[in-house]
Amino acid sequence: MSDSNRAIPAPIYVAETLLKKRKTNEKGAAIKARQRLELKKTKKDLRKTQFKRADEFIRDHRLTEKQGKRLRALSQGKLKGSNKKGDGKLVFVARIKTESAIHPKIKKTLGKLRLLKMNSGVFAVCDDSTIKDLQRIEPYVTYGSPSLKTVRDLVMKRGATMIKGIRTPLSDNAMIEEALGDQGVICLEDIVHEIVNKGENFNVVNNYLVPFQLNDPVKGWRQKKLKEITERINEEESAEDDINKLVEVMN
């Protein structure tokens, strides 16, 4: 029989409903496969996170225990300088360190001095109460007596206050006069004068200023000249750092 006379098989028709069902099944199988893959990945990530959290928990617990031990030794007068009295000098306190876990007493003192953020700084008068606070948070801050130039540079460049809940730079003497005019402070120079001389309105003016937000040192905290300024031989030593050099590299 020639090819021209060969019978052509009749086409096999598939019901449209069956085609739709097959398409739906294929789509469902693809979705389930993707879901299984995502679930497997999620479980794997969760296992890693759980191990990581356990490790972090242990490390944080040991860290707060170490901090608590230091605080107890400080309160019992066992650390060098524990009984040091305030000298009444003006100091600038800068936050230079943070950790994943901080002892509640240290955190409370940092909040009291408005130093909750890294690289923040405030002025304070070093009386007996303040020196105890500084000793308590000393591993996380550095401090020292600022020069007139340092105070002026900070106020002029970084000075700011809160207006309606918004941090606002001190760019206009009118706003200063409106807030502090009753205390005889009407401009930036008056603020500098009141801070440097620890005037009778020091607390009012100091509270009017929000903590100064400084920059990270350009070459980072590990550079040698900064270690000489901020690091102490041991935690018990009192802070006698050259704060002016530090502000210079952070302002």
Side-chain angles (χ1 to χ4, degrees), residues 40-80:
K40 185 177 180 180
K41 184 180 178 182
T42 301
K43 287 181 177 179
K44 185 178 179 181
D45 292 341
L46 183 60
R47 285 196 298 270
K48 288 183 179 180
T49 304
Q50 287 173 340
F51 288 129
K52 184 179 179 182
R53 285 180 179 174
D55 182 60
E56 286 180 350
F57 176 78
I58 294 171
R59 186 179 69 246
D60 291 350
H61 178 68
R62 288 175 177 171
L63 186 60
T64 52
E65 273 193 339
K66 181 181 178 181
Q67 294 166 356
K69 184 178 180 180
R70 178 185 174 276
L71 290 175
R72 286 191 297 273
L74 182 65
S75 64
Q76 294 168 5
K78 294 181 180 179
L79 297 184
K80 184 179 178 181

Side-chain angles (χ1 to χ4, degrees), residues 177-218:
E177 184 176 6
E178 182 180 353
L180 302 173
D182 292 342
Q183 282 74 38
V185 178
I186 60 174
C187 62
L188 285 169
E189 282 297 338
D190 287 344
I191 290 179
V192 173
H193 180 272
E194 196 72 22
I195 294 293
V196 170
N197 293 287
K198 306 187 298 288
E200 59 181 9
N201 296 309
F202 174 85
N203 288 333
V204 176
V205 173
N206 196 34
N207 289 331
Y208 174 70
L209 299 170
V210 295
F212 298 91
Q213 196 60 44
L214 303 174
N215 293 323
D216 277 325
V218 176

Side-chain angles (χ1 to χ4, degrees), residues 29 95 143 192:
R95 176 82 180 268
Y143 55 93
V192 173

Side-chain angles (χ1 to χ4, degrees), residues 16-55:
E16 186 177 354
T17 52
L18 184 59
L19 291 174
K20 288 182 178 180
K21 185 176 180 181
R22 186 183 297 169
K23 188 176 181 181
T24 301
N25 291 341
E26 289 174 353
K27 186 177 180 181
I31 292 174
K32 287 181 179 180
R34 187 165 60 250
Q35 287 176 341
R36 284 195 298 270
L37 186 63
E38 290 175 353
L39 182 60
K40 185 177 180 180
K41 184 180 178 182
T42 301
K43 287 181 177 179
K44 185 178 179 181
D45 292 341
L46 183 60
R47 285 196 298 270
K48 288 183 179 180
T49 304
Q50 287 173 340
F51 288 129
K52 184 179 179 182
R53 285 180 179 174
D55 182 60

Side-chain angles (χ1 to χ4, degrees), residues 70 80-81 84 87 89-96 113 115 122-126 130-146 229-230 232 235-244 246-247:
R70 178 185 174 276
K80 184 179 178 181
K84 183 180 178 181
D87 53 16
K89 290 182 179 180
L90 174 71
V91 294
F92 183 73
V93 190
R95 176 82 180 268
I96 59 168
L113 294 176
L115 293 170
V122 295
F123 292 112
V125 175
C126 195
T130 302
I131 196 67
K132 289 186 181 300
D133 288 339
L134 293 177
Q135 288 177 333
R136 192 174 295 122
I137 63 174
E138 194 165 295
Y140 299 92
V141 302
T142 188
Y143 55 93
S145 297
I229 295 173
T230 61
R232 306 178 182 97
E235 292 182 345
E236 293 81 0
E237 285 191 350
S238 60
E240 295 294 343
D241 306 312
D242 191 345
I243 199 70
N244 299 304
L246 183 65
V247 172

